[in-house]
């Protein structure tokens, strides 16, 4: 695939000036679904104070973030709707245009009725996979017991169901979980997995990043696994390009451009930067890669993984 300027000459770089896919973002309508964390006024979350985003965030709000960097396609990742509204969230997203292009839904894979729940989600043709969060932050995870899923037989059975159905799994984790995640994923060698938020590098000390890097290298041995660079503002709210650069370059080196996607995590990461600032940082950091490598990270990997 080649890209051309309006004058007909071939473009020599691949950036947000070309069609790109935002592989990780959120929308919500507080009148349609109940989102407990969006209704909980005054409660800080693992990523900070959500007060500025505790209001409707619709497709047009997302598209209005930038006139410079506008995604050609996008992937919506479930955003914590109440259990009884998870299918309602998928139904509402199915109706939204022109984004999202694909939906990663919320479902409790450990539930006894998971097969029935997935069947309901699959009534909507934008559905591509499921995210059930395993790790957010060590302190907050204690409240949700999400970490215990890794040893839950029902959760493993749910992963096997995704594998059989050809659906993907968005893996949100924290670095200390890596050995147990690898053990769990031995049961589903053909499951397509995408790591959210670069594996959540919370500890950005030299020692913390060394442990994170080791875990990412271990995860990269799973052949069906890709990695999303997204949500990095959650781990460093005051980030500068120099802060994102080593993390991004490590991810790209470990997985290769053909297994890397880029996402905004908006509107959560709107708490830390503008949409333009984020994507311009991506452009600057990936400037040394070839046209084909950048095309993979900005478009092709997400298009293939999410079948869009």
């Amino acid at each position: 695939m080649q890209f051309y300027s309006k004058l007909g000459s071939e473009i020599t770089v691949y950036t947000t000036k070309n069609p790109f896919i935002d592989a990780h973002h959120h929308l919500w309508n507080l009148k349609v679904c109940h989102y407990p964390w969006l209704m909980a006024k005054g409660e800080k979350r693992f990523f900070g104070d959500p007060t500025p985003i505790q209001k409707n965030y619709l497709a047009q709000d997302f598209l209005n973030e930038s006139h410079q960097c506008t995604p050609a396609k996008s992937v919506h990742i479930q955003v914590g709707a109440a259990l009884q509204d998870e299918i309602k969230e998928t139904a509402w997203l199915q109706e939204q245009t022109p984004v999202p292009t694909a939906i990663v839904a919320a479902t409790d894979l450990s539930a006894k009725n998971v097969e029935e729940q997935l069947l309901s989600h699959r009534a909507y043709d934008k559905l591509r996979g499921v995210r059930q969060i395993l790790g957010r932050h060590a302190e907050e995870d204690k409240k949700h017991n999400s970490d215990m899923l890794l040893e839950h037989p029902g959760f493993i059975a749910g992963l096997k169901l995704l594998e059989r159905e050809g659906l993907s799994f968005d893996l949100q984790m924290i670095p200390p979980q890596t050995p147990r995640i690898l053990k769990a994923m031995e049961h589903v060698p053909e499951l397509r997995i995408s790591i959210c938020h670069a594996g959540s590098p919370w500890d950005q000390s030299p020692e913390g990043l060394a442990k994170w890097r080791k875990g990412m290298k271990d995860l990269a041995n799973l052949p069906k696994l890709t990695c999303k660079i997204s949500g990095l503002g959650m781990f460093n709210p005051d980030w500068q390009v120099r802060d994102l650069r080593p993390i991004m370059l490590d991810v790209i080196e470990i997985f290769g451009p053909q297994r890397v996607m880029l996402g905004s995590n908006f509107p959560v990461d709107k708490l830390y930067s503008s949409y333009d600032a984020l994507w311009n940082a991506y452009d600057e950091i990936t400037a040394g890669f070839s046209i084909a490598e950048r095309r993979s990270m900005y478009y092709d990997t997400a298009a293939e993984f999410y079948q869009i």
Side-chain angles (χ1 to χ4, degrees), residues 59-215:
Q60 199 55 53
D61 297 316
F62 173 65
L63 293 173
N64 285 343
E65 293 293 356
S66 173
H67 297 294
Q68 173 191 346
C69 304
T70 303
K73 298 179 181 180
S74 77
V75 182
H76 184 279
I77 309 300
Q78 64 89 4
V79 70
L83 182 64
Q84 68 271 16
D85 284 348
E86 290 175 345
I87 294 167
K88 188 184 292 185
E89 180 187 46
T90 300
W92 175 72
L93 289 164
Q94 177 72 30
E95 297 173 354
Q96 306 313 300
T97 58
V99 294
T101 318
I103 299 168
V104 175
T107 292
D108 181 4
L109 294 172
S110 68
K112 292 181 179 179
N113 67 340
V114 61
E115 193 163 359
E116 177 185 342
Q117 293 296 304
L118 278 181
L119 186 62
S120 295
H121 283 295
R122 296 201 75 172
Y124 305 99
D125 63 16
K126 289 184 183 180
L127 183 79
R128 295 296 184 272
V130 164
R131 177 174 77 161
Q132 185 169 13
I133 295 175
L134 299 177
R136 301 167 178 84
H137 182 279
E139 290 304 312
E140 188 161 327
D141 292 340
K142 293 176 183 176
K143 303 174 186 177
H144 296 274
N145 293 322
S146 56
D147 183 68
M148 297 175 65
L149 286 168
L150 286 166
E151 281 75 42
H152 194 301
F155 177 71
I156 302 301
L159 291 176
K160 290 180 178 179
L161 178 60
L162 291 182
E163 183 182 50
R164 290 197 304 272
E165 295 294 322
L167 295 170
S168 64
F169 181 65
D170 262 55
L171 170 62
Q172 185 165 334
M173 53 163 286
I174 56 175
Q177 294 174 319
T178 301
R180 294 162 58 225
I181 287 170
L182 288 166
K183 185 172 180 62
M185 297 309 165
E186 288 176 358
H187 299 281
V188 283
E190 296 301 314
L191 178 63
R192 292 178 298 109
I193 303 166
S194 181
I195 301 175
C196 299
H197 309 324
S200 301
W202 278 106
D203 183 353
Q204 298 194 1
S205 67
E207 297 80 8
L209 287 175
K211 292 178 181 178
W212 163 79
R213 195 177 300 111
K214 167 65 167 58

